[in-house]
Amino acid sequence: MKKQLQLGLVVAGNSTGSAILRLPKLAEELGPIKSPALRTARRVSNFLKAGYAVPEYEDLANARLILMHLPDSVVTRVVDELCASELVFKKLSFVLCESWLTSDVLKPLSARGASTATLVKVPSARRNWFVIEGQLSAVRQMRRVLERNEALTLELRPGTKHLYFAAELLARALPMPLYMTAQEALRDSGLSGNRLHALIDEMAHDMFRRFLKGAAAAWRGAANECPPETAENYLRALREDHPQIAEVVDMQLLWARRKMSRPRERARAMPGEIGVFREAASP
């Protein structure tokens, strides 16, 4: 009797930079690899030094968990092709990897009895972190694969991937113009080079250290530490001499003061406890 393999792979497009496909123990678990062209599947197998190319979707039947690494533009087509195959879906789980698409795109597979989920990599320089959202069986199987590869899995509540998206924007993208404006202000004050970068780095780390102690502790800084009259004089000088910087500061201060003075139900919760996600517990 043929040994049942744990992992299958459906792959298309450029996968050389995939964090999932570079997991150190993937080679020990990967079996059938399906791609739109058999030669592509063979090329992926050779690149990964793992698995074997198969010509038909039905050849994925030996896998319990099937990873999908696809460009977003072809996911719907591949899902339709899978649905048209003779696979026994109630025995299978599918995880769409490293895609911002929600698990809704996999609903046709779920309707046929498969368990489905999607997964994205958390930006982290320290270790492999992944966020996963979807149905329980697919989530648990994928979590076990990641844990065997010493990666951390953060599980979103079903249907909340848009909140994780918002969190990434707020934590990674939206602060960037503020730091660029801070850099501009420091340059106009005469600082430059390594010392300027070191100062911004220290300010950012100090802000985050205080944030981890709670929102109230983080809401400090020059605007709250110096006398109100002095702060207003500084802001007035900014408006006169550097109106573009002043516009950013005034706008952000208005929003921040309104946000921090608003009654919050979760004011006492520590960062991470409020979260959209929780660290997945072992089953």
Side-chain angles (χ1 to χ4, degrees):
M1 182 175 179
K2 189 171 183 178
K3 180 181 178 182
Q4 186 167 6
L5 300 166
Q6 186 178 25
L7 291 181
L9 175 63
V10 179
V11 63
N14 186 0
S15 57
T16 56
S18 166
I20 284 292
L21 298 185
R22 289 181 177 273
L23 291 174
K25 295 185 179 180
L26 188 74
E28 301 173 12
E29 306 183 53
L30 186 61
I33 301 173
K34 175 71 175 77
S35 194
L38 190 59
R39 65 179 181 278
T40 304
R42 287 175 178 147
R43 187 163 59 243
V44 171
S45 177
N46 291 335
F47 171 73
L48 297 176
K49 296 182 173 61
Y52 55 90
V54 297
E56 306 294 339
Y57 285 110
E58 286 80 4
D59 296 319
L60 297 168
N62 287 321
R64 290 180 54 210
L65 175 63
I66 298 169
L67 309 182
M68 303 171 69
H69 194 279
L70 306 165
D72 289 352
S73 58
V74 305
V75 171
T76 298
R77 174 175 61 79
V78 170
V79 167
D80 289 343
E81 290 172 353
L82 281 163
C83 289
S85 73
E86 296 181 4
L87 287 169
V88 181
F89 290 96
K90 65 181 181 180
K91 297 181 179 180
L92 302 175
S93 293
F94 293 84
V95 177
L96 179 60
C97 297
E98 297 171 279
S99 169
W100 278 106
L101 295 177
T102 70
S103 53
D104 287 347
V105 75
L106 305 178
K107 274 186 176 179
L109 297 172
S110 301
R112 284 161 175 76
S115 181
T116 61
T118 68
L119 174 145
V120 292
K121 189 177 188 302
V122 175
S124 171
R126 292 176 296 175
R127 60 180 297 185
N128 276 336
W129 289 24
F130 295 91
V131 164
I132 189 166
E133 181 262 343
Q135 295 174 299
L136 185 59
S137 179
V139 167
R140 283 182 171 176
Q141 290 185 64
M142 191 69 218
R143 187 178 64 215
R144 292 188 189 108
V145 170
L146 293 172
E147 286 174 350
R148 287 194 290 272
N149 285 273
E150 299 182 354
L152 178 68
T153 308
L154 302 170
E155 182 185 338
L156 300 180
R157 292 196 299 271
T160 64
K161 197 170 181 178
H162 61 294
L163 293 176
Y164 176 74
F165 173 76
E168 272 227 17
L169 285 180
L170 291 165
R172 296 186 64 227
L174 296 181
M176 194 62 66
L178 300 181
Y179 280 107
M180 292 172 65
T181 306
Q183 181 176 258
E184 179 185 349
L186 290 173
R187 280 183 174 148
D188 287 350
S189 74
L191 294 178
S192 62
N194 291 337
R195 292 194 174 186
L196 183 153
H197 297 146
L199 179 56
I200 290 181
D201 182 67
E202 192 60 33
M203 288 176 174
H205 278 82
D206 179 67
M207 179 273 297
F208 191 69
R209 284 191 295 267
R210 287 186 284 107
F211 168 73
L212 292 178
K213 295 178 182 178
W219 177 234
R220 284 178 21 190
N224 290 335
E225 291 171 355
C226 74
E229 183 178 346
T230 303
E232 187 52 47
N233 287 337
Y234 283 145
L235 293 172
R236 187 180 301 112
L238 267 179
R239 295 180 192 116
E240 292 174 359
D241 300 337
H242 298 274
Q244 291 182 328
I245 295 175
E247 181 183 7
V248 174
V249 171
D250 284 340
M251 182 172 58
Q252 294 299 319
L253 276 176
L254 179 65
W255 178 85
R257 284 170 174 155
R258 185 168 64 242
K259 172 70 175 175
M260 297 307 291
S261 63
R262 183 185 307 161
R264 296 183 311 279
E265 300 154 359
R266 303 175 181 179
R268 296 183 181 178
M270 288 295 292
E273 295 175 15
I274 300 174
V276 174
F277 56 78
R278 61 180 174 82
E279 182 173 347
S282 299

